[in-house]
Amino acid sequence: MNECQVDGAAIIARYDAVVEKIAEAARNAGRNPEEVKLIAVSKRHPAESVRILNNHGQLDFGENYVQEALAKQEELAEHTINWHFIGHLQSKKAKDVAGKFALIHSIDRLSLAQKLQKRMEMLPVSGLDGERKVQDILLQVNIGDEAQKSGVDKDGLFELAEQIMALPQLRICGLMGMPPASCVAEEARPFFSNLRMLRDELATRLGMPLKHLSMGMTQDYVQAIEEGATFVRIGTEIFGPRPY
């Protein structure tokens, strides 16, 4: 099957199974399933796969690569989609993502946030009252203390959050994190618990609500939900192996 031949029935069947597993995990944790939002990670999958799921009712899709994401946005412009940027973001790409995603999950340094703010200042005002657009963001935390992984160190999180709060067109909505790749299922749980506690501590110190925790992927989203995830990012279990 080539890129243009998408097995829509299989994608929908896998998607429906994932939605039920998310709901079950939430209920088992004493949570309302509506508190947990599924982000279907569509990176490297064709726009047609996104179209199929969107027509089936899925609204939130995650992309890791800027140019691929923008191309899909253009191709699917007639669809109602909440696009999430979940990959590592280079500062030079800030100009390309500002105002084009419902939520950017991977802000991890002040220089990137400043570039994003400058680009937001260049966007036209919205509405009759001339309000400036605001970009919702999550702060990515390096919860595994891995030298090769993006994310602000836990010790630097509060300082970064305070600095970004001074940027008027960026709004911090919570935290994102990924455990080490070697930690799956129950091994990932302590990292999710730690991220939740960091979020709660940060919200208290900043004196503002931080609603979201973006954590959990195909191999560990059940544990993430049990530890408080509000966004889970699932690709392979829905779309199948990524075509290369």
Side-chain angles (χ1 to χ4, degrees), residues 16-151:
D16 287 343
V18 167
V19 169
E20 180 52 38
K21 285 178 67 175
I22 289 172
E24 181 181 6
R27 288 191 293 264
N28 289 343
R31 301 180 62 193
N32 183 342
E34 294 182 1
E35 296 175 359
V36 185
K37 186 168 290 187
L38 166 62
I39 298 175
V41 179
S42 46
K43 69 175 182 180
R44 298 193 185 278
H45 291 281
E48 181 59 23
S49 295
V50 177
R51 192 191 315 275
I52 287 168
L53 272 193
N54 184 243
N55 288 339
H56 188 62
Q58 173 66 17
L59 296 179
D60 293 87
F61 291 85
E63 290 286 335
N64 289 61
Y65 308 112
V66 174
Q67 294 311 122
E68 179 183 352
L70 297 181
K72 287 177 182 172
Q73 287 182 7
E74 183 176 355
E75 185 171 347
L76 300 168
E78 77 281 6
H79 288 254
T80 300
I81 294 175
N82 299 322
W83 293 101
H84 296 252
F85 190 81
I86 61 175
H88 174 69
L89 183 58
Q90 297 174 300
S91 293
K92 66 182 180 180
K93 294 288 187 178
K95 67 182 187 303
D96 298 317
V97 303
K100 295 181 180 178
F101 291 84
L103 187 62
I104 298 174
H105 293 230
S106 50
I107 302 302
D108 60 359
R109 57 201 185 279
L110 180 60
S111 60
L112 173 59
Q114 290 170 330
K115 291 281 182 66
L116 197 58
Q117 168 64 30
K118 287 182 179 179
R119 187 61 179 180
M120 292 299 295
E121 292 171 356
M122 299 172 63
L123 298 180
V125 297
S126 59
L128 297 176
D129 52 6
E131 286 189 4
R132 292 284 182 180
K133 293 181 180 179
V134 174
Q135 175 67 65
D136 286 340
I137 65 170
L138 301 181
L139 303 183
Q140 181 177 353
V141 183
N142 187 349
I143 55 175
D145 296 321
E146 299 172 274
Q148 76 280 13
K149 187 171 286 185
S150 301

Side-chain angles (χ1 to χ4, degrees), residues 195-216:
L195 189 66
R196 184 190 70 246
M197 289 188 289
L198 283 172
R199 188 276 310 270
D200 293 346
E201 179 184 354
L202 182 62
T204 298
R205 295 182 68 177
L206 295 178
M208 59 182 287
L210 297 174
K211 178 181 179 181
H212 289 302
L213 281 172
S214 174
M215 58 188 195

Side-chain angles (χ1 to χ4, degrees), residues 147-162:
Q148 76 280 13
K149 187 171 286 185
S150 301
V152 60
D153 292 337
K154 289 173 283 188
D155 292 341
L157 175 61
F158 179 65
E159 180 181 8
L160 176 63
E162 277 198 317

